[in-house]
Amino acid sequence: MSLMGKYLTYALLALTLDLVWGYCGILSLGHAAFFSLGGYAMGMYLMRQIGPRGVYGNPVLPDFMVFLNWKELPWYWYGFDNPLFAIAMAALVPGLLALVFGWFAFRSRIKGVYFSIITQAMTYAAMLLFFRNETGFGGNNGFTDFKRILDLPIATPGTRITLFVITGCTLVGFYLLARAIVHSKYGRVLQAIRDAESRVMFTGYNPLAYKLSIWTLSAVMCAIAGALYVPQVGIINPSEMSPAASIEIAIWAAVGGRATLIGPIVGAFFVNGAKSWFTQALPEFWLYILGALFIMGLGMGGTPVDPAPAPRQAPGPGTAMPSTAACSTCCRQTPLCPTRTWPSAPTRSTGVGPLSCASPAWTSRLAATRSSKHACWRQALAVSWPTTAGSTPRARCSSSP
């Protein structure tokens, strides 16, 4: 039961990564830090629950603090004898870290492999910090030897089953929440940012707000998974923040298939089940198998992208433009409009020369479309008109949620 409970928390972790990587194109190698911070918050509560039942019998200080000759409880341990406070801190502290980190990173327009590298560096720095004994988090041993949770023995079958059921319900709830997010207008904007962030900016959306919000939400969900992990496994230490742990999370999502939600959950179960078997039967080959799974996952389970639209003949002078009703129907039916639509533009007077996009007629039309609810009519990124009379105008539009 504890093993399956651990796999459920890993599935939660893979699901949270899929939200930012699969649907927003943000490959984070720092989710292990958020997972561990949530686990440490729960571990602090469980350590306070030991009380006089510890080896040294100190009712206030955990055993490792007594061993290290600490005289009093550090200020940041206050309140962790309350389970509600511990759960709140398990969500708020990683969420605040993600918010601050993401604000500076996304505001600086750091993305792609550079963002992955700095998230990995953040996780590694946190691991080195928690390895130090003077930080008050147990050093390299971390927290272990838990006795009770909510004044109930933590090792009894009834408690184990209860924790397993709570974790399973949390996974179902998070899956339904993620599904609702990705199928909403907000989710379609995230997918557009993943596919063409610059085009989303040109249509009037601010990618910073969308990326920062989904990044922070994913970190909070990840931390809750860590809080559920610790009482079932019985230990939390800085090795959970190792670079290998962060890369493994990405492998779960890649093997199961990004931008599918259910795929990373299956991938977490599959990879960890294979790890349990291979590390016993063929331990020397496991890392090679893990690398092969990652390569296969990237090669076969890529992010689904709408097919390129078929080219259409450019309309000549006087060609009727599509109606707003038809275009808005197209946008309602698909996250990214799969057909090219020609923006409405003022009629070009023959022989007058090019019609500039900065002309009063075009400016007023553009202002009207920005206030319109028909998203397809805001797709125009650039319109170039010929410099000689009688030529065919060219228009380039991009799909947008």
Side-chain angles (χ1 to χ4, degrees), residues 30-71:
H31 269 47
F34 305 134
F35 181 82
S36 300
L37 287 175
Y40 266 96
M42 178 57 69
M44 293 167 74
Y45 163 72
L46 295 175
M47 293 297 289
R48 293 296 305 272
Q49 284 282 291
I50 296 176
R53 290 177 289 271
V55 175
Y56 297 99
N58 193 305
V60 178
L61 296 179
D63 285 341
F64 75 90
M65 290 188 180
V66 178
F67 177 78
L68 294 174
N69 201 28
W70 287 63
K71 301 302 181 183

Side-chain angles (χ1 to χ4, degrees), residues 118-160:
I118 63 171
T119 54
Q120 183 72 285
M122 175 195 69
T123 306
Y124 189 70
M127 182 187 70
L128 295 180
L129 176 66
F130 276 74
F131 263 125
R132 302 178 66 88
N133 288 326
E134 57 267 29
T135 57
F137 295 109
N140 61 326
N141 294 320
F143 302 151
T144 188
D145 195 28
F146 306 130
K147 306 292 186 184
R148 303 176 72 83
I149 180 171
L150 298 177
D151 291 328
L152 298 172
I154 199 171
T156 59
T159 305
R160 297 290 187 187

